[in-house]
């Protein structure tokens, strides 16, 4: 039993990892984070080619209002009333009752993911925590895991779950973090609660052939974009790409939050 | 933020800001009007960014170094064979249509996407090869993270391709004296008439 399980685990790990023959024991993740094993991420557009993703740590759940409150308390320039417009648009933390009271419900919202947050704000929070926000490759790789598999793309239930969520309107008061399922890596809410910022959102949908801005849109909305896609069925990924390509760094919206990641300094191999 | 230019040098150059002949200072060293220099930044100013850069003259500068002058800015990489030369040429031809006074006020800034290869030395060579004079043009090298940030602020999307080149949006940005975006010219085929008009307005505004 134990043996067969470890063989399965080994197969799963080696399936994506390059040269993963002699993996060291995974490092212990910091509190509130989980370890994501190295693997490979296949971008939506073939022209980008597969990308290797190194092992990294990722927050178990999206950053909550309570956690963000801690940040603004000691970083006054990120308060709702003080933030500079270059870093966040007018709806920054718009549901908060005041500078130091999350909302819309001061009590219930504490453990909900912080939303109406800009890319700059997410980065500043992460930096303050000694972390960073994940790259698109890292996020997509970690989010492709279903409840039981690191690659949930082949799991029809997983896929249906994501699309079902995309079709539901955003609730007035966000549910608490951890209210959706836990995926293979131990991450909660990768799908089903909020969309999340990635560090390189502004690299979405630029392809080698489209160097003018008009070209970008043509690539996005005409057939040429989908012809180059690596997985025609992955409508959910199309939606995430489309969302990212529509974002600007100061944008804040009702269903866009974030979580942090952290690089791992790989210890030298021991014989 | 760090100012690396001694104040005495600024004071020295201050006398010459209105001259149409440009003193032999690097573009980054020309001094803007003092009144604007001391005013608080507007909410939208790019000069709130805390990134630091290295010029082709290996000088460390922060963005607010340009505070007080109108700035024409684009992002590029020196190995670019297609779009970037067109962008730079567009900037140059636009500047040539300005009055000598407006042209001398306007700072011309190029920020490289290519943090690996476009070192200050490479940027200096590029400037010489392209005939971009030291007095007029500042070419900047920065960290990957700072490049990502300023691109995001400017609404520029880019990605490095497998061959090392960059796919990127083609946007020329005009900053007012305060560092806020006054106008953006998008795409390679756009007419630069509106940009020209916007530059003239920003320069006129600067003289108030």
């Amino acid at each position: 039993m134990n043996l067969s399980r470890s063989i399965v685990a080994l197969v799963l790990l080696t399936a994506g990892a390059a040269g993963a023959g002699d993996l060291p024991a995974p490092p212990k993740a910091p509190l509130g984070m989980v370890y994501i094993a190295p693997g490979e991420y296949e971008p939506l557009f073939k022209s980008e080619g597969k990308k290797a993703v190194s092992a990294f740590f990722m927050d178990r759940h999206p950053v909550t209002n309570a956690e963000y409150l801690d940040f603004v308390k000691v970083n006054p320039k990120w308060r709702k009333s003080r933030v500079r417009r270059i870093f966040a648009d007018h709806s920054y933390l718009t549901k908060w009752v005041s500078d130091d009271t999350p909302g819309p419900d001061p009590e219930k919202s504490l453990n909900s993911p912080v939303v109406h947050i800009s890319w700059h704000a997410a980065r500043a929070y992460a930096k303050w925590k000694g972390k960073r926000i994940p790259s698109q490759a890292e996020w997509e790789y970690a989010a492709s895991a279903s409840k039981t598999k690191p690659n949930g793309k082949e799991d029809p239930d997983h896929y249906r779950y994501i699309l079902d969520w995309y079709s539901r309107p955003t609730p007035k008061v966000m549910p608490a973090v951890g209210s959706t399922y836990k995926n293979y890596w131990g991450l909660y809410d990768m799908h089903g609660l909020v969309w999340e910022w990635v560090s390189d959102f502004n690299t979405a949908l630029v392809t080698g052939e489209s160097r003018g801005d008009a070209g970008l849109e043509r690539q996005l909305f005409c057939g040429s974009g989908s012809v180059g896609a690596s997985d025609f069925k992955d409508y959910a990924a199309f939606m995430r790409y489309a969302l990212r390509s529509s974002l600007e760094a100061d944008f804040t919206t009702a269903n866009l939050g974030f979580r942090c990641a952290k690089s791992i300094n790989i210890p030298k191999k021991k014989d | 933020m760090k100012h690396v230019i001694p104040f005495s040098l600024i004071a020295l150059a201050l006398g010459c800001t209105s001259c149409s002949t440009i003193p032999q200072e690097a573009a980054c060293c020309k001094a803007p009007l003092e009144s604007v220099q001391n005013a608080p930044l507007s909410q939208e100013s790019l000069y709130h960014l805390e990134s630091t850069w290295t010029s082709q003259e290996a000088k460390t500068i922060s963005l607010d170094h340009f505070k007080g002058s109108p700035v024409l800015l684009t992002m590029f990489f020196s190995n670019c064979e297609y779009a970037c030369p067109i962008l730079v040429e567009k900037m140059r031809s636009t500047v040539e249509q300005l009055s000598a006074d407006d042209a001398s006020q306007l700072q011309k800034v190029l920020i490289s996407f290519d943090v690996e290869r476009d070192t200050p030395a490479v940027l200096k060579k590029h400037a010489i090869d392209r005939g971009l004079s030291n007095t007029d043009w500042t070419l900047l090298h920065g960290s990957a993270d700072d490049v990502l940030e300023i691109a995001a602020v400017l609404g520029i999307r880019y990605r490095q391709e497998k061959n090392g080149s960059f796919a990127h949006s083609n946007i020329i940005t005009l900053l007012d004296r305060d560092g806020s975006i006054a106008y953006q010219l998008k795409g390679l085929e756009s007419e630069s008439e509106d940009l020209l008009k916007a530059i003239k307005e920003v320069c006129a505004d600067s003289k108030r």
Side-chain angles (χ1 to χ4, degrees):
Chain A
M1 176 61 188
N2 273 344
L3 183 68
S4 66
R5 195 181 277 173
S6 58
I7 288 170
V8 170
L10 191 69
V11 168
L12 289 173
L13 283 170
T14 46
D22 50 350
L23 280 174
K28 196 170 176 290
L31 190 69
M33 300 188 96
V34 299
Y35 171 79
I36 314 285
E40 209 171 51
Y41 155 66
E42 191 170 357
L44 187 60
F45 294 100
K46 275 183 196 161
S47 64
E48 295 181 44
K50 286 185 182 177
K51 283 178 184 165
V53 176
S54 305
F56 65 105
F57 297 126
M58 197 173 206
D59 281 355
R60 199 179 291 276
H61 58 70
V63 173
T64 65
N65 280 311
E67 288 168 326
Y68 198 75
L69 178 62
D70 290 342
F71 167 66
V72 297
K73 273 182 180 165
V74 291
N75 295 278
K77 70 173 184 178
W78 289 102
R79 287 179 178 205
K80 183 182 169 176
S81 65
R82 295 241 211 126
V83 73
R84 304 237 167 79
R85 281 290 84 86
I86 182 101
F87 295 130
D89 67 16
H90 285 87
S91 59
Y92 175 68
L93 298 180
T94 189
K95 295 284 166 60
W96 282 34
V97 180
S98 70
D99 268 353
D100 48 14
T101 314
D105 184 315
E107 288 303 314
K108 283 186 199 156
S109 297
L110 279 176
N111 284 322
S112 304
V114 63
V115 290
H116 283 114
I117 204 86
S118 68
W119 178 79
H120 293 287
R123 275 172 34 115
Y125 173 92
K127 197 174 170 189
W128 175 69
K129 281 285 197 183
K131 301 177 185 176
R132 58 182 175 78
I133 55 175
S135 68
Q136 177 175 293
E138 288 172 334
W139 196 96
E140 287 286 335
Y141 169 63
S144 68
S146 66
K147 286 177 193 168
T148 52
K149 292 177 184 147
N151 186 353
K153 278 184 181 169
E154 290 116 47
D155 183 342
D157 287 344
H158 180 242
Y159 185 67
R160 206 170 302 126
Y161 175 88
I162 298 172
L163 284 186
D164 279 352
W165 170 53
Y166 286 0
S167 67
R168 280 197 303 273
T170 306
K172 279 211 175 90
V173 177
M174 278 282 174
V177 297
S179 59
T180 72
Y181 68 96
K182 178 180 174 182
N183 83 2
Y184 172 84
W185 303 111
L187 299 167
Y188 286 90
D189 314 322
M190 291 302 280
H191 306 283
L193 197 57
V194 286
W195 303 81
E196 297 180 13
W197 278 109
V198 293
S199 60
D200 51 350
F201 77 95
N202 55 341
T203 64
L205 281 162
V206 180
T207 71
E209 297 75 36
S210 60
R211 288 171 182 239
D213 280 88
L216 293 185
E217 281 167 29
R218 235 176 284 129
Q219 289 285 335
L220 172 53
F221 295 113
C222 299
S224 57
S226 60
V227 168
S230 56
D231 185 352
F232 292 98
K233 296 192 304 291
D234 202 349
Y235 182 66
F238 270 111
M239 287 190 66
R240 289 193 296 276
Y241 266 66
L243 173 79
R244 287 180 197 126
S245 73
S246 73
L247 293 172
E248 299 288 349
D250 64 337
F251 279 14
T252 71
T253 76
N255 52 6
L256 182 59
F258 72 104
R259 77 177 73 207
C260 303
K262 201 174 163 86
S263 302
I264 299 173
N265 296 321
I266 298 158
K268 279 181 185 159
K269 263 187 221 167
K270 284 175 190 167
D271 290 323
Chain B
M1 268 181 242
K2 192 163 52 172
H3 288 273
V4 288
I5 311 302
F7 186 74
S8 57
L9 203 67
I10 294 177
L12 200 72
L14 201 69
C16 275
T17 41
S18 57
C19 309
S20 53
T21 48
I22 308 147
Q24 288 305 301
E25 296 280 349
C28 64
C29 305
K30 272 188 283 177
L33 291 181
E34 205 171 10
S35 57
V36 181
Q37 186 82 337
N38 297 332
L41 291 172
S42 81
Q43 288 268 326
E44 287 85 9
S45 174
L46 255 72
Y47 302 152
H48 290 298
L49 301 183
E50 289 172 356
S51 48
T52 50
W53 305 83
T54 313
S55 74
Q56 78 270 32
E57 296 298 330
K59 287 202 170 76
T60 307
I61 54 178
S62 58
L63 292 173
D64 68 346
H65 188 76
F66 297 104
K67 191 180 170 191
S69 302
V71 174
L72 201 56
L73 167 74
T74 198
M75 295 186 74
F76 87 118
F77 64 107
S78 69
N79 279 305
C80 183
E81 287 170 359
Y82 171 58
C84 309
I86 299 176
L87 279 174
V88 174
E89 202 42 55
K90 200 155 208 153
M91 280 173 73
R92 187 169 18 206
S93 65
T94 305
V95 173
E96 277 169 6
Q97 295 173 60
L98 295 169
S99 69
D101 188 33
D102 284 354
S104 71
Q105 284 190 54
L106 188 67
Q107 299 284 322
K108 278 73 76 179
V109 180
L110 304 177
I111 297 178
S112 175
F113 294 110
D114 198 341
V115 297
E116 297 293 323
R117 289 181 294 184
D118 281 346
T119 59
V122 170
L123 290 178
K124 184 169 186 172
K125 184 174 180 304
H126 183 76
I128 293 167
D129 291 349
R130 300 273 168 178
L132 307 176
S133 97
N134 246 0
T135 53
D136 272 35
W137 297 74
T138 307
L139 285 71
L140 295 178
H141 167 268
S143 72
D145 201 49
D146 288 344
V147 168
L148 187 72
E149 183 185 54
I150 194 157
V153 167
L154 294 170
I156 291 176
R157 292 170 188 273
Y158 70 101
R159 195 184 65 221
Q160 188 160 24
E161 300 296 326
K162 274 176 270 180
N163 65 6
S165 73
F166 291 78
H168 58 91
S169 330
N170 299 305
I171 298 180
I172 297 174
T173 302
L174 173 68
L175 301 180
D176 66 16
R177 291 203 146 213
D178 195 39
S180 300
I181 295 174
Y183 184 82
Q184 288 195 308
L185 184 75
K186 299 181 179 181
L188 289 176
E189 282 139 43
S190 321
E191 293 295 332
S192 47
E193 269 169 41
D194 288 345
L195 173 63
L196 201 60
K197 204 173 130 216
I199 296 173
K200 286 175 186 168
E201 277 168 19
V202 167
C203 285
D205 203 33
S206 316
K207 286 178 210 156
R208 272 197 312 214

